[in-house]
């Protein structure tokens, strides 16, 4: 039986990864810096460990007969109130080093690691798909600067261990992965704000008018969490030593997204009236080239934006992660 250690198992993506591999029949070990998981993983017969990536000693409690480490731990700009750049250095640079050293000492063959989309931010703004092997750069301003520096450094460390000890590395560049979390808020430049999709969903549920700002044909990359999990699964089972892979599905237009939200989330047939405001600010636009992900991992996107909205509506009802995330009223 194959085994996987998921670091950051209580996080937005780590929790989905953990349950996915458990369903596949893998031996799964869940770890995160939270002191406890409120008994969530025990419901699935998955052992849980509290591990601080900055504390090498905390790794000693973990089983070492592991085939794959999925390292999805670390601080994020989206969850950081104010600005604390040192947290990225501690959790991503120093933390990744500790993970890699633990991997080396225990002869673990493979790591899966998420890279930030903002390493190719300089290529945003048009519809030309961005290559998985595009040059990694750092934005010189904004709340993502130290985060991208830390992520790029972590990727370079992983490549070093690949060259030195033959570590198989599957680095996945994340576009936004669309899943369900009861927290509908994010932080932008350290300030709390409502996530755009939830703003539109809230209006659609009330049947309130919705404006489409700027150019309605702007393309936004889309990746349903189920397609994301497909890529993670294929990264864990591929018969080669990996590389860097884009996560996406080709995107959808701003207008398609909003009109689909109106269709799916309208209550009692009362649909929001949609209007256009071309004079207002444009949304960011980018598309990731998933050719390499398809060719080397055998990835085939299966879900579009409408599929996601229907799935989200159901996932919101069942609240399967409430034990670790709470519910919407907690936020």
């Amino acid at each position: 039986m194959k085994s996987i250690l998921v670091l950051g198992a209580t996080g937005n993506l780590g929790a989905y990864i953990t349950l996915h591999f458990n369903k596949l029949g893998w031996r799964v070990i869940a770890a995160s810096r939270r002191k406890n998981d409120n008994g969530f993983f025990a419901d699935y017969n998955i052992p849980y460990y509290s591990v601080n990536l900055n504390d090498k000693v905390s790794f000693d409690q973990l089983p070492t007969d592991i085939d794959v480490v999925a390292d999805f731990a670390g601080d994020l700009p989206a969850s950081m109130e104010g600005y604390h750049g040192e947290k990225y250095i501690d959790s991503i640079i120093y933390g990744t080093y500790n993970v890699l050293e633990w991997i080396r000492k225990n002869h673990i063959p493979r790591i899966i690691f998420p890279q930030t989309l903002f390493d190719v931010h300089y290529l945003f703004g048009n519809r030309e798909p961005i290559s998985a092997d595009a040059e990694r750069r750092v934005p010189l301003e904004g709340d993502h600067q130290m985060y991208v520096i830390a992520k790029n450094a972590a990727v370079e460390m992983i490549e070093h261990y690949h060259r030195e000890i033959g570590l198989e590395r599957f680095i996945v560049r994340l576009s936004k992965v669309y899943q369900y979390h009861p927290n509908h808020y994010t932080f932008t430049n350290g300030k709390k704000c409502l996530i755009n999709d939830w703003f539109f969903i809230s209006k659609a549920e009330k049947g309130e008018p919705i404006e489409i700002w700027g150019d309605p044909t702007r393309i936004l990359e889309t990746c349903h969490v189920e397609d994301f999990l497909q890529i993670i699964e294929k990264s864990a089972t591929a018969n080669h030593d990996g590389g860097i892979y884009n996560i996406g599905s080709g995107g959808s237009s701003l207008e398609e997204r909003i009109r689909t939200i109106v269709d799916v989330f309208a209550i009692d047939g009362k649909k929001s009236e949609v209007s256009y405001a071309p004079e207002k600010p444009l949304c960011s636009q980018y598309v990731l080239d998933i050719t390499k992900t398809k060719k080397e991992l055998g990835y085939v996107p299966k879900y579009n934006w409408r599929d996601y909205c229907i799935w989200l509506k159901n996932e919101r009802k069942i609240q399967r992660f409430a034990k670790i995330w709470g519910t919407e009223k907690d936020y």
Side-chain angles (χ1 to χ4, degrees):
M1 178 187 294
K2 289 282 191 177
S3 59
I4 184 169
L5 166 66
V6 182
L7 299 172
T10 60
N12 292 29
L13 298 180
Y16 280 97
I17 293 170
T18 304
L19 294 196
H20 180 74
F21 279 88
N22 183 64
K23 186 177 179 181
L24 291 175
W26 283 51
R27 172 172 161 259
V28 183
I29 296 91
S32 192
R33 64 183 168 190
R34 282 176 50 156
K35 293 300 181 184
N36 68 76
D37 65 335
N38 294 327
F40 174 79
F41 291 112
D43 291 343
Y44 298 89
N45 295 314
I46 298 171
Y48 176 77
Y49 298 87
S50 177
V51 174
N52 181 348
L53 298 192
N54 293 334
D55 179 11
K56 295 178 182 179
V57 175
S58 71
F59 285 81
D60 293 343
Q61 64 186 301
L62 293 171
T64 58
D65 53 335
I66 303 294
D67 297 298
V68 180
V69 172
D71 181 5
F72 281 73
D75 285 282
L76 298 166
S79 57
M80 184 176 289
E81 185 173 6
Y83 181 75
H84 308 280
E86 71 278 5
K87 290 187 176 181
Y88 301 132
I89 295 171
D90 289 344
S91 67
I92 300 174
I93 295 180
Y94 188 46
T96 301
Y97 174 74
N98 285 340
V99 171
L100 290 169
E101 276 296 283
W102 183 78
I103 284 173
R104 180 185 65 80
K105 291 173 183 176
N106 292 291
H107 309 288
I108 296 167
R110 181 169 298 198
I111 187 171
I112 302 172
F113 184 82
Q115 168 65 322
T116 173
L117 173 71
F118 285 88
D119 71 334
V120 292
H121 184 265
Y122 70 98
L123 295 172
F124 282 20
N126 58 60
R127 302 184 185 210
E128 182 68 26
I130 300 169
S131 169
D133 297 312
E135 178 187 357
R136 296 190 292 275
R137 296 185 189 176
V138 176
L140 297 181
E141 57 186 21
D143 65 337
H144 278 63
Q145 183 184 27
M146 284 302 299
Y147 175 66
V148 180
I149 288 171
K151 279 290 192 177
N152 282 354
V155 169
E156 295 301 333
M157 282 193 286
I158 292 169
E159 286 295 330
H160 165 64
Y161 278 72
H162 166 65
R163 297 291 183 90
E164 287 293 315
I165 66 170
L167 177 65
E168 298 166 354
R169 77 288 187 236
F170 289 76
I171 297 162
V172 290
R173 179 181 287 115
L174 302 183
S175 58
K176 183 176 178 180
V177 177
Y178 288 87
Q179 36 83 258
Y180 172 75
H181 194 286
N183 182 6
H184 298 171
Y185 294 87
T186 187
F187 286 90
T188 300
N189 293 318
K191 295 182 179 180
K192 187 176 180 180
C193 57
L194 185 64
I195 294 170
N196 288 342
D197 295 331
W198 285 110
F199 170 78
F200 293 124
I201 289 170
S202 176
K203 281 189 165 292
E205 289 176 332
K206 298 171 186 174
E208 296 178 351
I210 295 176
E211 282 187 341
I212 299 178
W213 286 15
D215 179 1
T217 69
R218 298 278 278 188
I219 299 295
L220 297 91
E221 186 60 84
T222 299
C223 189
H224 190 309
V225 67
E226 294 293 342
D227 277 336
F228 162 78
L229 292 170
Q230 179 194 161
I231 294 171
I232 300 304
E233 178 184 338
K234 290 179 181 299
S235 295
T237 58
N239 61 357
H240 54 86
D241 61 6
I244 186 164
Y245 301 97
N246 284 337
I247 284 182
S249 65
S252 53
S253 72
L254 175 61
E255 180 165 23
E256 178 187 345
R257 294 177 95 140
I258 291 176
R259 290 195 178 276
T260 300
I261 286 173
V262 169
D263 287 345
V264 172
F265 291 94
I267 295 175
D268 298 327
K270 185 182 178 183
K271 291 189 177 181
S272 300
E273 180 181 336
V274 178
S275 60
Y276 301 89
E279 75 283 359
K280 293 189 176 179
L282 296 168
C283 68
S284 182
Q285 176 175 246
Y286 67 91
V287 179
L288 296 181
D289 185 351
I290 55 175
T291 303
K292 184 179 177 185
T293 315
K294 290 178 175 180
K295 181 179 179 181
E296 296 190 10
L297 296 182
Y299 168 57
V300 179
K302 295 180 180 178
Y303 299 90
N304 59 29
W305 179 253
R306 180 171 293 274
D307 295 330
Y308 163 69
C309 287
I310 294 169
W311 174 92
L312 176 66
K313 195 171 181 179
N314 181 66
E315 190 79 354
R316 191 182 188 187
K317 288 179 181 177
I318 63 177
Q319 295 286 324
R320 58 176 164 152
F321 295 105
K323 269 192 176 182
I324 49 173
W325 294 344
T327 59
E328 292 176 12
K329 64 180 176 58
D330 297 311
Y331 297 94

